[in-house]
Amino acid sequence: MDRVPALDEPLKNTLGAATAKVMAEHLDLHTVGDLLHHYPRRYEERGQLTRLADLPLDEDVTVVAQVADSRVLKFNHGRGQRLEITLTDGSGRLQLVFFGRGIHKPHKDLPPGSRGMFAGKVSVFNHKLQLAHPTYVPLGADSGDDAVDAFAGKLIPIYPACKGLESWKITKAVDAVLPRAVEAVDPLPPALREGRGFASLPEALLKVHRPDTKADIEDARQRLKWDEAFVLQVALARRRYDDTQLPAVARRPRPDGLLDAFDAKLPFTLTEGQQKVSKEIFDDLATEHPMHRLLQGEVGSGKTMVALRAMLTVVDSGGQAAMLAPTEVLAQQHHRSITEMMGELAEGGMLGGAEHATKVVLLTGSMGAVARRQALLDLVTGEAGIVIGTHALIEDKVQFHDLGLVVVDEQHRFGVEQRDALRSKGKQPPHLLVMTATPIPRTVAMTVFGDLETSVLDQLPAGRLPIASHVVPAQDKPHFLARAWERVREEVEKGHQAYVVCPRIGDGEDDPKKKSAEDEAEKRPPLAVIEIAGQLAKGPLSGLRVEVLHGRMQPDDKDDVMRRFAAGDVDVLIATTVIEVGVNVPNATAMVIMDADRFGVSQLHQLRGRVGRGSAPGLCLLVTEMPEASPARARLGAVAATLDGFELSRIDLEQRREGDVLGQAQSGVRSSLRMLTVIDDEEVIAAAREEAVAIVAEDPDLERLPELRTALDALLDTEREQYLDKG
């Protein structure tokens, strides 16, 4: 939870302007309530010394350790002096260094045998770990002192800190506001709190900041996690409840209509999964409030087919359906595959069009004026039952005759504002189907897309063969890379095609002005399409028909390359991630991903899904120069080891901070999660959702739970309220 209104007093009133300014700028803490919800990251046991052996390089750390020795050294012909202090804890040693006039106080404060708490950034000098000019607090002068014995066994909270505000300064600030914790409004209904044996909120805040025992910490964490999960799930449950109160036109398929005609000409049977998900969608469409459904499907599981059948149902009932795609390449690809699947059913109003046919139009930003005018006319008259487009669909001049369904492809590429703008074009709220091929673990779906019902397609269509994936360590074993290019040639000789993916376009224009630390460390920028294409065409792939595709090409040129690749006139396509989503060329069987360590886990899984879409098996080679023991290699090993997108999304999430995931999905709104982790706390989230649904069903306006309302208002500030309204 973000803020508790009773604790809304600005921090500067209690802590002074200077401290409050640093807290606001670096830690996003503005009120007493914010600071009370800034929880310790971990706890040091005062009686134990921290393991110095485990210190991470280049990170701000706080350690509790003992001074082993202390010496003043002269340098620069006696004009300069420095103080070197060695700390020990039995597991390792750490050097502290102070220079110039700053040496006298620490020399006096920290004699050998004394203990202290030290904070600073870990660096290496002369092969030794050191902290330069750390801030410190002595912990009792003599080890045998009674004061130290009293001190031992206490738990020291270590807070997430920042430059200029060390953990113990935050400790002092928390001490100043902690008496106010008794004013915290408890959002959990008494029956729920008692039923689950939770501490009250004031008690939980006291225990999390100043625990006497480890059991106190556990009690507090369980309670505070529940607060976060429960208040968020109540917000989402109310959102879903409000949706059920909105009016919408029920859309049902017409007997012997367009859907029946389409199903009759399908050359294959739908998978069990497709039939099950289609039924869920048809049931939703038949109700008089808007469907809000998230359709998750592995790459190649047939989501487009399910979405198309939903769109045909809406056209059957006299409405129109719009599909929003993130790129022109993908919009053109969808338009092409949908018109091919429908055949004469997509030729409404044309010679040779079937009896129930409708028009399927494309609308993108780069279309010529004549084609664009015709498309807009077909939409406003209702002539076009289905429109597929990019952001161009959202523009003011686009008007529909009767928009009944919006399908959003690749949800993560669109902000909620864009979805909202398209939905507002219906006379009544249209039904909404959101699709993603990026698998989302169940708890993330519950937390981030909790206002959408979820359907999952996890079966691959019959005949699909698994994709073999291998890591190619180019630096350790250059002959592996040579073999990779031989494999590409072998696939082409069998009549197949291949992709080569690079992280960058090249030719200088997209080179970052400032190299990232990672690039500096690796001494070279990521590989680029334009350079690699030249090297491959002259070298290992000479004689093959090689083309490039990237985001800076003109739309017509991009479409031309994709058409020729789809038609089999290009052997190898060297591209950026522009091919990541939706590109469907069944004859492409091999993919080589250069600098694969520069891509995220889910992105690699998406890219890999572009091959093996036909009857021949797929091959994906992940090329990297990273050393064998590196985390990047471990990540690539995980991708090569499993084709389960849900398992990979879990790995991906564990490697990123929770806030990144929620922040992205919540359209830049600050994540409200402080204690809850969406991967580890699956049971808490599922249980909180159940409780929230039951409470909202009984009391939608929370009239009997004013404390919960207050907490909800604090969570849903204006920005977040708008976000949920648009979700």
Side-chain angles (χ1 to χ4, degrees):
M1 289 160 27
D2 275 5
R3 296 183 190 169
V4 182
L7 305 179
D8 253 352
E9 189 185 337
L11 282 171
K12 64 170 183 269
N13 298 1
T14 313
L15 305 178
T19 305
K21 185 170 188 256
V22 178
M23 286 196 166
E25 286 175 5
H26 295 285
L27 298 172
D28 199 15
L29 304 175
H30 306 272
T31 65
V32 169
D34 287 343
L35 182 52
L36 286 174
H37 288 294
H38 185 69
Y39 307 128
R41 189 173 46 202
R42 59 192 170 86
Y43 302 84
E44 291 288 7
E45 288 191 65
R46 280 177 171 155
Q48 294 178 349
L49 297 177
T50 322
R51 282 179 58 80
L52 295 181
D54 301 333
L55 289 181
L57 256 184
D58 283 334
E59 278 195 28
D60 285 300
V61 298
T62 301
V63 297
V64 178
Q66 189 160 353
V67 176
D69 60 57
S70 164
R71 59 198 170 278
V72 176
L73 303 169
K74 303 277 187 194
F75 62 92
N76 203 3
H77 308 297
R79 287 196 296 274
Q81 53 182 358
R82 74 176 180 271
L83 169 66
E84 287 184 358
I85 293 176
T86 307
L87 301 181
T88 179
D89 70 346
S91 77
R93 295 168 87 79
L94 173 68
Q95 195 166 65
L96 310 183
V97 58
F98 300 87
F99 293 98
R101 291 191 186 137
I103 73 170
H104 305 298
K105 190 170 181 340
H107 196 203
K108 187 163 98 342
D109 289 346
L110 301 167
S114 66
R115 248 189 204 157
M117 186 149 71
F118 306 89
K121 186 172 258 193
V122 183
S123 58
V124 172
F125 183 72
N126 278 345
H127 307 294
K128 287 182 184 165
L129 290 180
Q130 75 165 25
L131 300 182
H133 275 284
T135 42
Y136 64 90
V137 175
L139 302 179
D142 303 306
S143 297
D145 200 329
D146 291 344
V148 175
D149 293 339
F151 200 84
K154 289 283 184 197
L155 294 160
I156 306 172
I158 304 294
Y159 288 93
C162 64
K163 193 172 164 54
L165 207 62
E166 295 82 7
S167 173
W168 54 80
K169 286 188 183 164
I170 296 174
T171 300
K172 278 187 169 167
V174 170
D175 282 340
V177 301
L178 205 51
R180 309 287 296 281
V182 295
E183 297 174 55
V185 174
D186 200 325
L188 292 193
L192 190 160
R193 195 172 70 231
E194 286 150 22
R196 292 186 175 268
F198 288 136
S200 70
L201 181 56
E203 191 187 336
L205 290 170
L206 284 168
K207 280 182 171 179
V208 81
H209 289 293
R210 300 294 171 263
D212 288 326
T213 63
K214 287 182 177 173
D216 282 353
I217 299 170
E218 193 47 40
D219 280 357
R221 290 178 70 88
Q222 284 309 318
R223 163 65 218 246
L224 295 167
K225 278 180 181 184
W226 248 89
D227 278 16
E228 288 176 9
F230 178 70
V231 177
L232 188 56
Q233 290 301 335
V234 168
L236 293 164
R238 290 187 69 206
R239 175 85 186 88
R240 288 194 301 277
Y241 177 83
D242 289 346
D243 285 339
T244 63
Q245 308 306 302
L246 285 176
V249 179
R251 309 284 180 175
R252 298 183 182 86
R254 203 169 69 234
D256 299 325
L258 192 51
L259 179 65
D260 285 353
F262 175 74
D263 284 349
K265 66 194 281 303
L266 277 182
F268 53 82
T269 350
L270 297 176
T271 66
E272 248 174 75
Q274 284 174 320
Q275 289 174 15
K276 175 176 155 285
V277 170
S278 287
K279 183 182 181 321
E280 289 170 354
I281 291 171
F282 290 163
D283 288 349
D284 281 359
L285 289 173
T287 61
E288 291 183 352
H289 55 81
M291 164 172 81
H292 284 96
R293 192 166 279 280
L294 172 69
L295 172 56
Q296 294 189 64
E298 278 286 17
V299 172
S301 57
K303 291 184 302 301
T304 312
M305 171 63 71
V306 168
L308 176 55
R309 294 182 75 243
M311 293 197 282
L312 296 175
T313 300
V314 170
V315 177
D316 260 352
S317 72
Q320 291 168 293
M323 182 186 254
L324 186 59
T327 64
E328 296 211 346
V329 166
L330 186 53
Q332 285 159 339
Q333 176 91 31
H334 274 320
H335 183 252
R336 208 162 31 243
S337 61
I338 282 174
T339 47
E340 279 167 13
M341 279 196 272
M342 287 176 65
E344 73 277 9
L345 296 174
E347 295 171 359
M350 294 155 77
L351 221 57
E355 180 194 348
H356 303 297
T358 188
K359 233 182 192 181
V360 179
V361 302
L362 177 69
L363 190 65
T364 65
S366 65
M367 281 169 74
V370 178
R372 187 180 175 76
R373 251 199 320 273
Q374 185 58 53
L376 291 172
L377 188 65
D378 288 341
L379 287 181
V380 78
T381 58
E383 190 84 7
I386 295 175
V387 58
I388 294 146
T390 54
H391 302 80
L393 280 177
I394 296 167
E395 290 168 13
D396 289 345
K397 54 170 102 62
V398 179
Q399 300 295 325
F400 290 84
H401 176 66
D402 178 13
L403 180 60
L405 171 67
V406 173
V407 178
V408 181
D409 195 19
E410 285 314 316
Q411 149 63 26
H412 63 287
R413 301 292 188 89
F414 290 102
V416 284
E417 292 80 11
Q418 293 160 318
R419 267 169 36 195
D420 189 49
L422 184 53
R423 280 168 57 193
S424 67
K425 291 181 179 293
K427 293 186 175 81
Q428 278 192 320
H431 299 280
L432 174 71
L433 180 65
V434 167
M435 301 200 295
T436 179
T438 307
I440 304 165
R442 191 173 76 102
T443 44
V444 181
M446 269 188 213
T447 308
V448 178
F449 301 112
D451 56 334
L452 300 171
E453 300 298 332
T454 305
S455 294
V456 179
L457 269 180
D458 46 14
Q459 261 182 313
L460 288 185
R464 270 293 173 88
L465 296 167
I467 302 163
S469 304
H470 305 284
V471 178
V472 177
Q475 193 80 12
D476 311 349
K477 299 177 178 165
H479 60 287
F480 275 38
L481 183 58
R483 176 70 189 121
W485 300 126
E486 283 172 20
R487 283 292 288 110
V488 169
R489 294 193 81 97
E490 287 165 14
E491 287 302 308
V492 172
E493 279 159 20
K494 288 183 199 162
H496 299 309
Q497 292 158 280
Y499 297 99
V500 177
V501 181
C502 300
R504 215 163 47 94
I505 297 171
D507 77 6
E509 274 187 57
D510 65 334
D511 292 356
K513 296 276 180 287
K514 185 173 176 297
K515 287 186 173 179
S516 70
E518 191 185 7
D519 292 344
E520 284 294 349
E522 289 165 25
K523 294 290 182 280
R524 71 163 177 79
L527 294 172
V529 166
I530 289 164
E531 283 95 75
I532 289 285
Q535 291 165 23
L536 291 177
K538 291 191 193 109
L541 302 185
S542 64
L544 302 186
R545 296 169 298 174
V546 174
E547 291 275 3
V548 300
L549 180 71
H550 58 74
R552 272 210 319 271
M553 290 165 63
Q554 289 300 317
D556 289 352
D557 297 341
K558 277 195 282 201
D559 196 39
D560 177 54
V561 170
M562 273 315 304
R563 273 179 194 281
R564 286 188 293 115
F565 187 63
D569 300 335
V570 173
D571 298 322
V572 181
L573 187 63
I574 300 178
T576 55
T577 54
V578 71
I579 61 143
E580 176 189 350
V581 177
V583 172
N584 183 25
V585 179
N587 192 43
T589 53
M591 175 177 284
V592 180
I593 303 178
M594 307 303 291
D595 276 345
D597 49 275
R598 310 278 179 130
F599 299 97
V601 169
S602 293
Q603 197 172 27
L604 289 170
H605 183 60
Q606 282 281 309
L607 286 164
R608 168 171 65 185
R610 302 297 114 217
V611 296
R613 299 173 74 87
S615 52
L619 171 70
C620 179
L621 301 174
L622 306 166
V623 179
T624 178
E625 291 187 358
M626 296 303 274
E628 192 161 359
S630 64
R633 275 285 284 278
R635 207 169 63 227
L636 295 180
V639 175
T642 180
L643 291 172
D644 180 342
F646 287 92
E647 177 56 32
L648 287 173
S649 70
R650 208 181 168 92
I651 292 167
D652 198 15
L653 200 58
E654 280 164 0
Q655 291 177 341
R656 287 151 55 183
R657 285 194 358 269
E658 301 283 338
D660 296 345
V661 180
L662 294 174
Q664 267 183 342
Q666 292 184 329
S667 189
V669 175
R670 177 177 143 207
S671 165
S672 60
L673 303 190
R674 303 271 181 277
M675 190 68 85
L676 193 73
T677 57
V678 286
I679 280 290
D680 299 334
D681 296 319
E682 195 160 336
E683 285 171 18
V684 174
I685 292 168
R689 181 175 167 127
E690 265 179 49
E691 295 275 14
V693 169
I695 280 168
V696 170
E698 207 174 291
D699 181 8
D701 294 324
L702 308 179
E703 283 167 2
R704 296 193 289 282
L705 298 167
E707 295 85 0
L708 179 54
R709 265 234 70 123
T710 305
L712 208 57
D713 293 341
L715 174 77
L716 301 175
D717 50 32
T718 324
E719 200 178 359
R720 200 182 283 278
E721 188 73 78
Q722 285 172 349
Y723 163 72
L724 281 178
D725 277 348
K726 290 173 181 169

